[in-house]
């Protein structure tokens, strides 16, 4: 007899550069539960789940499914064992339709071609079965983030997943999309599925999860019934010290406006208004929020403020320190002290295949300090990268980590 649907015993993962992502981790799943894995960025959550999904091989340790020892050497091995994973950064082909993405790698055939009608039918049938409404013929690039996540979940379910791993599933969702996701996950649990919910949002963990495994610095700090631990206790185990969960805002003195938007209007190439008569100012020392339902111009506003809009006409002015930047390129705007962290950092924010140093250099490669004649100054670039990473660690006031841990996204 077995007591766990899945067990991971003594899992250790050491990368070639010496970074220890997991150290002697024990993890188990019960059938039909929603099990949270909580921890700070770099705690080892995602690495542990990638090992479960066959994307990484453990340096040490064993995996058991229904009491049987298994070796998962690829994602296909995990899929064959009924494990599916929805990654934090979606693994969808933007130019394909929902149906094409759903059957990718298991395409129904008609002669030598793909039977698209059958792909649509399979998508509709799976969506009805799990009550997750999607448009099979819609292009993925036109979908909202929440809808893309539904497609990823349905992809895993179509392939027979009974264990579903969700890596930071609410990181890019609106509150309304998060509530909808929670309803869908509870329905899946009622249908007998087992769900792993990776997150560091404690309110969400408490709201939906049955049990929680807490990780810190690559190790497990224990497994608890979520109803038996408070947010304060969870956060203490996550970071190793007491954490202030409530923040009392003070009234701060602010300076003159550093950003002023006056009568900003933007039309697309066809003359359709994307923005109309936008007016606001941001003063030094302020945090200004911009709120709205997705698709109501927030993206275009940010693009107008960061020099990313192309092929459009605009009216009004966008002043940074008194200079109108509407006709400035991105690098010139950066020189004025404007930076942008996009909602999709993997697609828009970084070159994921490049090194930390190369990414940091992307806005400074033109400067004389980074050039040595016809070539870039490699030693100076390396020193800059190390100094910026060290400064980042000091500003965050977090525990010291090897620089290598910052090169591969969330562990």
């Amino acid at each position: 007899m077995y007591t766990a649907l899945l067990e991971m015993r003594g899992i250790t993962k050491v990368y070639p550069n010496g970074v220890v992502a997991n150290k002697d981790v024990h993890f188990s799943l019960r059938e039909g539960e929603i099990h949270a894995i909580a921890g700070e960025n770099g705690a080892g959550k995602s690495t542990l789940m990638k090992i479960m999904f066959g994307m990484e091989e453990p340096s040490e340790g064993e995996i058991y499914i229904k009491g049987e020892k298994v070796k998962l050497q690829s994602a296909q091995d995990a899929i064959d064992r009924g494990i599916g994973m929805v990654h934090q950064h979606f693994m969808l082909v933007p130019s394909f339709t929902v149906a094409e993405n759903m059957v990718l790698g298991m395409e129904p055939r008609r002669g030598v071609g793909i039977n698209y009608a059958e792909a649509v039918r399979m998508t509709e049938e799976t969506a009805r079965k799990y009550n997750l409404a999607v448009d099979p013929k819609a292009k993925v690039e036109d979908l909202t983030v929440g809808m893309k996540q539904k497609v990823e979940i349905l992809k895993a379910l179509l392939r027979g997943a009974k264990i579903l791993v969700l890596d930071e599933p609410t990181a890019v969702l609106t509150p309304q999309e998060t509530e909808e996701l929670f309803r869908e996950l509870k329905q899946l649990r009622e249908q007998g599925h087992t769900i792993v919910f990776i997150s560091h949002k404690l309110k969400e963990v408490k709201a939906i999860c049955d049990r929680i495994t807490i990780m810190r610095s690559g190790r497990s700090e224990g497994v608890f019934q979520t109803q038996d631990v408070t947010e304060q206790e969870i956060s203490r185990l996550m970071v190793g010290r007491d954490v202030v969960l409530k923040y009392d805002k003070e009234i701060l003195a602010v300076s003159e406006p550093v950003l002023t938007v006056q009568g900003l209007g933007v039309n697309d190439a066809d003359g359709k208004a994307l923005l109309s008569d936008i007016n606001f100012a941001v003063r030094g020392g302020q945090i200004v929020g911009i709120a709205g339902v997705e698709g109501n111009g927030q993206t275009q506003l940010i693009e107008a403020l960061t020099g990313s809009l192309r092929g459009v006409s605009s009216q009004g002015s966008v002043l940074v320190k008194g200079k109108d930047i509407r006709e400035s390129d991105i690098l010139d705007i950066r020189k004025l002290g404007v930076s942008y962290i996009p909602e999709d950092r993997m697609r828009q924010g970084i070159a994921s295949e490049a090194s930390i140093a190369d990414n940091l250099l992307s806005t400074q490669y033109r400067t004389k300090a980074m050039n040595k004649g016809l070539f870039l100054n490699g030693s100076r670039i390396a020193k800059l990268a190390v100094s910026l990473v060290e400064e980042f660690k000091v500003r965050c006031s977090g525990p010291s980590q090897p620089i290598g841990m910052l090169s591969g996204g969330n562990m």
Side-chain angles (χ1 to χ4, degrees), residues 370-385:
M370 296 300 142
N371 286 275
K372 185 187 294 183
L374 297 175
F375 302 97
L376 295 173
N377 191 328
S379 61
R380 185 163 291 180
I381 292 168
K383 289 179 182 178
L384 172 68

Side-chain angles (χ1 to χ4, degrees), residues 13-22 59 402-407 411:
K13 178 63 179 181
V14 182
Y15 286 98
N17 62 0
V19 172
V20 179
N22 293 136
S59 305
I403 290 175
M405 291 191 72
L406 298 176
S407 64
M411 285 287 197

Side-chain angles (χ1 to χ4, degrees), residues 150-322:
K150 281 188 183 182
V151 176
E152 286 278 31
I153 293 173
L154 284 170
K155 268 181 61 181
L157 295 172
L158 178 62
R159 286 156 177 77
K162 298 299 291 182
I163 298 173
L164 193 59
V165 181
L166 304 179
D167 190 359
E168 299 284 0
T170 65
V172 291
L173 298 185
T174 65
Q176 295 84 358
E177 289 171 332
T178 296
E179 290 179 9
E180 184 176 357
L181 173 67
F182 284 3
R183 288 195 296 270
E184 293 161 353
L185 295 183
K186 289 176 181 177
Q187 288 175 2
L188 289 173
R189 178 178 59 186
E190 291 168 4
Q191 292 174 317
H193 289 80
T194 301
I195 297 163
V196 181
F197 187 88
I198 305 175
S199 182
H200 55 258
K201 297 182 179 180
L202 304 188
K203 290 186 184 300
E204 295 179 357
V205 167
K206 292 281 289 180
I208 194 173
C209 298
D210 303 301
R211 290 195 301 157
I212 178 172
T213 294
I214 302 172
M215 296 191 66
R216 173 159 57 95
S217 300
R219 296 176 180 269
S220 171
E221 295 296 313
V223 185
F224 307 90
Q225 296 289 334
T226 51
Q227 64 187 17
D228 295 338
V229 287
T230 66
E231 290 181 34
Q232 188 70 48
E233 290 169 334
I234 295 171
S235 62
R236 186 185 304 118
L237 288 167
M238 283 171 55
V239 302
R241 53 183 166 78
D242 287 328
V243 176
V244 178
L245 297 179
K246 292 185 178 180
Y247 178 70
D248 296 323
K249 290 189 289 186
E250 300 177 0
I251 298 177
L252 300 175
V254 295
S255 66
E256 294 299 311
V258 293
L259 169 67
T260 304
V261 179
Q262 298 176 330
L264 178 64
V266 175
N267 299 328
D268 65 16
D270 297 324
K272 179 183 176 181
L274 303 175
L275 298 172
S276 178
D277 195 27
I278 305 296
N279 297 274
F280 67 92
V282 180
R283 298 175 179 274
Q286 281 186 324
I287 299 175
V288 175
I290 299 173
V293 177
E294 185 174 8
N296 279 270
Q298 302 96 306
T299 299
Q300 289 78 13
L301 175 58
I302 296 302
E303 289 176 345
L305 301 183
T306 57
S308 302
L309 277 179
R310 293 292 181 266
V312 300
S313 60
S314 62
Q315 308 85 42
S317 61
V318 178
L319 305 176
V320 175
K321 299 177 181 178

